[in-house]
Amino acid sequence: MLNLFRRKMPYEELGYGFADALLPSAVEQLAASPTDWTGKHLDTQGVGRELAILALAMLQMSLIDTVPQEYASSRVLGGFMQRVTERYTNFAFDPTTSAVGMQYIQAAANDLRNKQKTESFPTLVPRAVARIAGLTKGDEYWPLATECIYSFIQLVLQTAAQAVAVAKANTRLV
């Protein structure tokens, strides 16, 4: 009954908030200094866009358990993509966004199915490092880039879970 009197929050606003929290604190921060963790001079705009695609994929995975209604999850993702598109031109409409995002989701799903492996996301992390940083396993910066991408994924998953929990506790999602 008390939930009826709480402020209503559209699902899209939850997606906006997630993007607003993640863009400056994680995506842009990591993209601002790619030379530090890749050993290469990379386009910061391109790295940021690639990290945003990875964040979108991880957000989509985290919504499976936290926002089980498909229409609601789609609206959260739509809000996230709208906000990210304000930062990275044509993000929501670029076919690469969905294609690469789907590759990340498939890699993560494969990793979750093969839980007997000792390493977390043993397929997803190398795929992301190769795509975002252009590194291969033999590169000097591979371990550092791997650690950065893994930490980024953890942050995205934690932020998404916390954002949904806070929204559910303090508002009525509509």
Side-chain angles (χ1 to χ4, degrees), residues 97-165:
T97 300
S98 60
V100 173
M102 185 55 68
Q103 291 172 2
Y104 287 149
I105 291 169
Q106 289 170 338
N110 182 50
D111 290 343
L112 293 172
R113 274 194 303 273
N114 297 323
K115 287 184 178 180
Q116 72 276 10
K117 295 184 178 178
T118 57
E119 186 181 348
S120 294
F121 293 118
T123 307
L124 172 63
V125 172
R127 179 180 302 256
V129 170
R131 172 141 183 108
I132 296 166
L135 298 175
T136 59
K137 285 192 178 187
D139 289 328
E140 174 187 357
Y141 280 84
W142 179 265
L144 181 58
T146 299
E147 186 179 321
C148 287
I149 295 297
Y150 181 73
S151 296
F152 177 78
I153 290 169
Q154 282 185 308
L155 178 67
V156 170
L157 293 173
Q158 289 170 349
T159 302
Q162 289 170 350
V164 172

Side-chain angles (χ1 to χ4, degrees), residues 58-76:
M58 294 301 93
L59 172 61
Q60 192 165 2
M61 285 203 51
S62 71
L63 292 176
I64 291 169
D65 290 333
T66 56
V67 181
Q69 305 91 353
E70 187 176 329
Y71 75 95
S73 293
S74 296
R75 290 174 53 205
V76 173

Side-chain angles (χ1 to χ4, degrees), residues 6 9 14 162-173:
R6 288 192 223 175
M9 175 191 279
L14 181 58
Q162 289 170 350
V164 172
V166 168
K168 283 182 176 180
N170 298 315
T171 63
R172 187 165 55 107
L173 292 167

